[in-house]
Amino acid sequence: MSEAYEESGPSAWVLKPITEIRGVRHALTMTLDGMVQATSENLTKDEADGIGAMTAALHSASRAATNAVLGAPPSTPLTTVTSHNDRGTYMVMPVGEGTNTLIAAAGDQDMPMGVVAATMARQAMKLGEQIMSVPARVNDGVS
């Protein structure tokens, strides 16, 4: 059995309000290249890593297809990707403009989509503000 990610790290706090919503099974944050930053406690590290990689590919492909079919410049950001099947819904959205982070949530058929989307957007905005407020490191030769 694979070890579980701890609900820790710089973005773990962002997931709690999402995972407290009825019907939400999992939530994650990850970079645009699929590196998991935080996950809900009910995913193993191996599961989260696989989902992170697939989610990054899903987001990238959805952005490329959406921009191509709508005639938008390739750099146009994608707001949300939502997929459904008979088991539930998976939603992915970027965390703030100018960040390289995604937030995602998966839930069963009874998950209140509007509540989850609004909570994810609110938490994404908070995390984006936190990421953008961290001063950039300057390598001026001084240690």
Side-chain angles (χ1 to χ4, degrees):
M1 173 123 189
S2 176
E3 67 184 81
Y5 272 110
E6 289 184 36
E7 249 188 27
S8 61
S11 61
W13 60 269
V14 79
L15 301 176
K16 188 153 185 66
I18 298 165
T19 58
E20 290 175 343
I21 299 169
R22 174 185 47 84
V24 173
R25 293 184 199 166
H26 308 291
L28 306 94
T29 60
M30 70 214 73
T31 62
L32 288 174
D33 60 0
M35 298 297 294
V36 174
Q37 297 168 324
T39 182
S40 52
E41 63 188 25
N42 49 355
L43 285 174
T44 67
K45 183 179 183 324
D46 288 345
E47 289 169 332
D49 287 342
I51 292 166
M54 289 181 281
T55 300
L58 170 70
H59 184 267
S60 179
S62 296
R63 179 178 172 177
T66 300
N67 290 342
V69 75
L70 297 176
S75 61
T76 304
L78 191 61
T79 306
T80 306
V81 176
T82 304
S83 57
H84 308 273
N85 68 19
D86 64 349
R87 296 240 169 155
T89 302
Y90 187 51
M91 288 192 290
V92 181
M93 62 181 63
V95 171
E97 204 169 309
T99 71
N100 71 340
T101 303
L102 299 171
I103 189 168
D108 59 31
Q109 293 287 1
D110 295 328
M111 179 178 77
M113 295 271 301
V115 173
V116 173
T119 304
M120 284 178 65
R122 184 175 58 251
Q123 294 304 101
M125 185 173 66
K126 288 178 183 179
L127 182 57
E129 288 170 356
Q130 179 188 30
I131 291 169
M132 297 306 286
S133 70
V134 174
R137 291 187 197 179
V138 176
N139 186 359
D140 59 4
V142 179
S143 330

